[in-house]
Amino acid sequence: MAIPGADDAVILRAENLGRVVDTKVLVEQANFGVRSGEVLAIVGPSGSGKTSLLRLLNRLDEPSSGTVYLAGVDYRQIPPRELRRKIGMVTQRPYLFPGTVEQNLQFGPLQRGETLSSQSVETLLSQVGLEGYAARNVANLSGGEAQRVSVARTLANSPLVLLLDEPTSALDEASKIEVERLLQGIVRDQGLTCVLVTHDIAQASRLAGPALLIREGRIVRSGPAKEVFDA
Amino acid sequence: MLKDFISDQLVLGLAQAGVAALAALIVVLLARRRKIHLERDAIVAMLRGIVQIVAMGSILLLLLRGPRWTSVFLLMGMMVAAGATSARRAKGMPDAFRVSTWAIACGAGSVIAVMTWAGVIDTAITALVPIGSMLIANAMNTNGLALNRFRSDVLSHTGEIETALALGAEANTSVSPYVQASCEASLIPAIDSLRSLGIVWIPGLMAGMLLSGSRPIYAAIYQFVVLAMILAASGLTSLVSTLLMRGRIFTPAQQLMLQPGR
């Protein structure tokens, strides 16, 4: 069977990817690919397996079947820490570490013995619209600001692919629009490849090119977002 | 009051045990009224406690007539039993019995060995077994506290831990704040015992030494010695158990296995 998206431009490809816990099937035989610079939306109702699928993509969970290829390399051949640096993830809640905004941004690079210069920190902060926030304590940030710091912290690792797990679902309407604009800007300016999990079809239509519709762990529809949602 | 009615020491002991157990049961019943259910655990613990301590007393009586090296086997048996008991405080954690037993053996065992070698603990069975058992019992409590705290901290911070992993952190780094907090929390009783020694707390060993004719100052200093050994044994146990457990809650691919509801 031909794997959708199995061509040279595909940077991330899931092949027969599945996960079963005890007897419960969380993800079943997922096959899809994401081209470089593309935003793929994974949409489905609560409990349909969207987040489970996303967690398999950076190997936070182990697949029960199949695998994922990152730039053509089976991700089981890549050391997990290196893999997770290359496939960054922004979660629903930002989970900032206690300390300053800069300390959070430095966390990823420090894990591989590198330190960001002050200028790099400011550049990252300006990408998320938080210039001058480096010395702020994360305890004093609003929900939207915290999520933007979370995005900048992930970008500090210079990932090849960005996984976004309902990044705006815990935010109020104003913050949601802010973060969505920010993500659109990053994708447009940096050509970053993204996989966006959301239950918000309107948001998926605004941000994504292709989309997958998932139900009970199975991909039931895939293609351009408009076609998937209009069908 | 009991002494007015009972002259036989064994019967008196049983009557005293009954009164003490009754006091504990009253507290358990009071707790039950507030929907805190300790009945089963408390009754089983008391029954086990009385049977075990009487059995141990009888074994000690036999050992006193045997060679000194037999106490080594007795202490090793205590460590295994302590491992099994405190592993129950680490429900759902992988390899809890083995981790607990190793940690207690490293913590209490090494302190007992070094202190016996240095002459701080007498090699006589009557000294080595009771003092060794104090170190093992305290190491057991510390181990249970450390693993219990580590488990609840990890379960309530899976988001933070997986965020750190997702940012490329090593598994050990991702849980290091919780290892540290668990060790610190588990040592609070041992540190507070030392801190309040002689002010709030005059432990039984000192009273026993005084009754057996030791000089009061020596008895007091030796009480400090025992509590310092307890702190050393407990500290080492806590460190070893959390470090051993830290490595066991992740898969080889650095995935967190300990998850709420799993």
Side-chain angles (χ1 to χ4, degrees), chain A residues 3-7 10-15 32-34 67-72:
Chain A
I3 306 297
D7 61 50
V10 168
I11 190 160
L12 191 73
R13 181 162 61 88
E15 191 177 289
F32 62 89
V34 193
T67 191
V68 173
Y69 292 90
L70 176 66

Side-chain angles (χ1 to χ4, degrees), chain B residues 68-115:
Chain B
R68 291 185 175 204
W69 54 261
T70 49
S71 54
V72 173
F73 291 99
L74 195 62
L75 291 173
M76 283 168 67
M78 284 179 183
M79 287 177 204
V80 174
T85 304
S86 69
R88 291 177 57 204
R89 299 283 165 217
K91 271 181 197 160
M93 294 188 100
D95 241 358
F97 169 65
R98 199 182 303 187
V99 166
S100 300
T101 307
W102 271 114
I104 293 166
C106 285
S110 62
V111 171
I112 292 170
V114 170
M115 292 297 148

